[in-house]
């Protein structure tokens, strides 16, 4: 998976505003390269799907994780809330038939690589487990892309990862 001995699993935590899915992953690349891999449409298309974005605060995006068709059921859309290259990105996340949630990505140098922190907040209990497995699969695909390996099937990675996300812990301290 990653170039580190870190546990690559995410954590689901119940907070007052919904469930948070949180991942911390280490990648054997520079901050600038990882930023490009998660924000540049040509790079994102190699491991996740076509991305159409106006990369500025207030800009809109559409991430097409199925077919490259506008407004499809597999597309996430939203607004760019934070864009501070190459360190921080936050967007609203709108997925068909779900409430609006938020995704934050932070990057920081860590030894001879870069640590990525991904937080998806405001999730409903019913969808949190799926997002745990889904983000796990996506971050594994990102690792494949960064390592120059063929990117594995999202469906297979999701099926393997999702059972690890059965438990949601309750945070008694409040939002992170």
């Amino acid at each position: 998976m990653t170039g580190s001995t870190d546990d690559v699993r995410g954590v689901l935590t119940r907070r007052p505003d919904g469930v948070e899915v949180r991942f911390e992953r280490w990648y054997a690349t520079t901050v600038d390269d990882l930023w490009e891999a998660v924000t540049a449409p040509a790079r994102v298309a190699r491991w996740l799907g076509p991305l159409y974005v106006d990369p500025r605060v207030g800009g809109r995006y559409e991430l097409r994780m199925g077919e490259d068709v506008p407004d499809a059921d597999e597309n996430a859309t939203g607004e760019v809330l934070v864009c501070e290259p190459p360190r921080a990105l936050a967007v609203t996340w709108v997925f068909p038939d779900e409430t609006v949630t938020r995704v934050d990505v932070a990057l920081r140098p860590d030894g001879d690589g870069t640590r990525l922190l991904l937080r998806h907040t405001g999730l409903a209990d019913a969808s949190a487990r799926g997002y745990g497995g889904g983000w796990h699969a996506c971050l594994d695909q990102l690792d494949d892309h960064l390592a120059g390996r063929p990117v594995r099937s999202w469906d297979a990675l999701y099926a393997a990862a999702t059972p690890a996300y059965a438990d949601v812990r309750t945070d008694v301290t409040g939002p992170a």
Side-chain angles (χ1 to χ4, degrees):
M1 300 270 190
T2 62
S4 153
T5 58
D6 292 345
D7 185 346
V8 297
R9 290 175 295 175
V11 176
L12 305 180
T13 305
R14 185 170 288 102
R15 302 201 184 279
D17 64 341
V19 178
E20 172 188 277
V21 176
R22 183 177 197 274
F23 284 88
E24 200 168 322
R25 295 268 188 114
W26 183 89
Y27 294 97
T29 192
T30 66
V31 170
D32 289 329
D33 184 54
L34 187 51
W35 177 261
E36 184 180 299
V38 300
T39 62
R43 296 276 305 269
V44 174
R46 294 180 202 159
W47 62 273
L48 185 56
L51 173 65
Y52 299 86
V53 64
D54 178 2
R56 61 177 177 80
V57 173
R60 306 284 306 164
Y61 76 90
E62 182 173 36
L63 176 59
R64 299 177 182 173
M65 295 176 284
E67 293 184 43
D68 191 359
V69 176
D71 303 317
D73 287 343
E74 301 86 16
N75 296 358
T77 61
E79 179 182 347
V80 178
L81 303 172
V82 175
C83 187
E84 299 171 359
R87 305 275 187 232
L89 177 70
V91 298
T92 59
W93 181 271
V94 181
F95 206 73
D97 301 322
E98 294 182 5
T99 61
V100 177
T101 57
R102 179 179 169 131
V103 176
D104 289 85
V105 175
L107 306 179
R108 71 174 194 275
D110 185 359
D112 58 353
T114 301
R115 189 155 303 273
L116 176 146
L117 173 62
L118 181 143
R119 293 177 58 226
H120 193 155
T121 56
L123 295 166
D125 282 14
S127 61
R129 182 176 187 216
Y131 275 104
W135 282 118
H136 188 123
C138 291
L139 295 174
D140 285 353
Q141 289 181 305
L142 174 59
D143 190 56
D144 290 343
H145 167 67
L146 290 167
R149 297 185 298 264
V151 175
R152 293 169 284 168
S153 157
W154 185 88
D155 291 332
L157 291 168
Y158 177 79
T162 300
Y165 298 96
D167 297 323
V168 177
R169 63 182 198 190
T170 300
D171 182 4
V172 295
T173 62

